[in-house]
Amino acid sequence: MKFGVIVFPGSNCDRDVAWVTQGLLDRPTRMVWHEETDISDLDVVIIPGGFSYGDYLRCGAIARFSPVMKATVEHAKLGKPVLGICNGFQVLTEAGLLPGALTRNAKLNFICDRIFLKVENHHTLWTSAYQKAEIIKLPIAHGEGRYYADNDTLAELEDRSQIIFRYCSTTGEINDSSNPNGSLNNIAGICNPQGNVLGMMPHPERASDPMLGNTDGIKLFESLLIAAVNCVTK
């Protein structure tokens, strides 16, 4: 399995992701410049966090028009995995690969913290290494991470089990006090109906290296490897 990590002007978590895929998991990884158009050699595309194009206009609004995103849309249409983390999640919604939008945090402040999440769907290629309703702890760092969608979209996400992660308390309660940014339904991460495109505001790559004292995030990447092995053995 070969990973590609997209690099926009303003990306600042690209090397963090590459350290996980190449440094920790020993998988071939290529840094993909935003002007590239051919990503056919890649199995997985990851859009990392940061401030693509300086977050001018709106977070992810300019990045969606980059050549590499056109290629990423086609990659996703083929059923190949695409992961957007933080700014990457914003880019995925702007590109139409995921529904809804990421808006200013409820209190209009930038949040840098470690928060708890509940794994709401562990039957995906992104979450099979987690247990049902597992509570994990991941870092967040964003000013525009409040997930918003209309009522019909929210109902579809709920009905189709597309909500993958929710903000929760240390014991798993889903409530306002455990919601750091005001996201509707405490949504921290969603996937598309096919399950191959995942967007999430928390940073799993920042909780993967044992040297950092938390490895809750590594299971997300390991889930992909498990899915690849299962696909080969079928």
Side-chain angles (χ1 to χ4, degrees):
M1 176 172 282
K2 184 176 182 179
F3 290 84
V5 183
I6 295 179
V7 182
F8 293 109
S11 296
N12 64 13
C13 300
D14 43 357
R15 267 60 185 180
D16 296 354
V17 173
W19 170 245
V20 175
T21 59
Q22 189 170 38
L24 298 178
L25 297 178
D26 195 27
R27 301 294 165 169
T29 300
R30 182 164 73 85
M31 310 307 288
V32 183
W33 187 234
H34 67 114
E35 294 180 340
E36 292 191 38
T37 57
D38 185 1
I39 58 173
S40 58
D41 62 310
L42 303 176
D43 298 303
V44 183
V45 172
I46 301 178
I47 310 173
F51 303 91
S52 57
Y53 296 95
D55 276 350
Y56 293 114
L57 298 182
R58 220 174 32 251
C59 294
I62 299 177
R64 64 160 294 192
F65 294 107
S66 65
V68 77
M69 281 309 300
K70 294 179 182 179
T72 299
V73 170
E74 295 305 313
H75 179 95
K77 287 180 178 178
L78 294 174
K80 296 181 179 182
V82 177
L83 170 63
I85 303 170
C86 198
N87 187 227
F89 187 6
Q90 296 161 346
V91 174
L92 290 178
T93 59
E94 291 287 343
L97 285 173
L98 290 175
L102 283 308
T103 63
R104 290 290 301 275
N105 294 343
K107 295 183 180 180
L108 305 182
N109 59 335
F110 187 92
I111 303 172
C112 184
D113 203 352
R114 289 171 292 179
I115 47 83
F116 291 94
L117 304 172
K118 177 177 282 188
V119 180
E120 292 284 41
N121 184 350
H122 71 297
H123 297 295
T124 76
L125 58 84
W126 302 101
T127 55
S128 63
Y130 292 105
Q131 300 298 311
K132 180 180 180 180
E134 184 173 345
I135 308 303
I136 63 175
K137 191 174 187 180
L138 297 180
I140 56 172
H142 58 252
E144 299 184 29
R146 179 178 179 267
Y147 183 79
Y148 175 84
D150 60 50
N151 290 333
D152 289 341
T153 299
L154 286 173
E156 288 182 359
L157 292 173
E158 296 282 1
D159 293 343
R160 297 175 180 175
S161 299
Q162 289 176 240
I163 299 173
I164 306 302
F165 300 107
R166 289 189 212 264
Y167 301 111
C168 69
S169 69
T170 57
T171 52
E173 286 83 12
I174 308 295
N175 49 41
D176 290 342
S177 61
S178 61
N179 189 337
N181 54 30
S183 288
L184 296 183
N185 295 20
N186 280 53
I187 291 174
I190 62 171
C191 70
N192 63 341
Q194 296 75 27
N196 62 305
V197 180
L198 171 66
M200 57 189 297
M201 288 309 297
H203 288 265
E205 79 282 8
R206 297 183 182 178
S208 292
D209 193 327
M211 290 185 68
L212 299 178
N214 180 5
T215 57
D216 286 353
I218 194 71
K219 291 183 182 180
L220 184 135
F221 301 96
E222 290 174 340
S223 295
L224 278 178
L225 302 184
I226 293 172
V229 170
N230 291 339
C231 183
V232 170
T233 55
K234 284 183 179 179

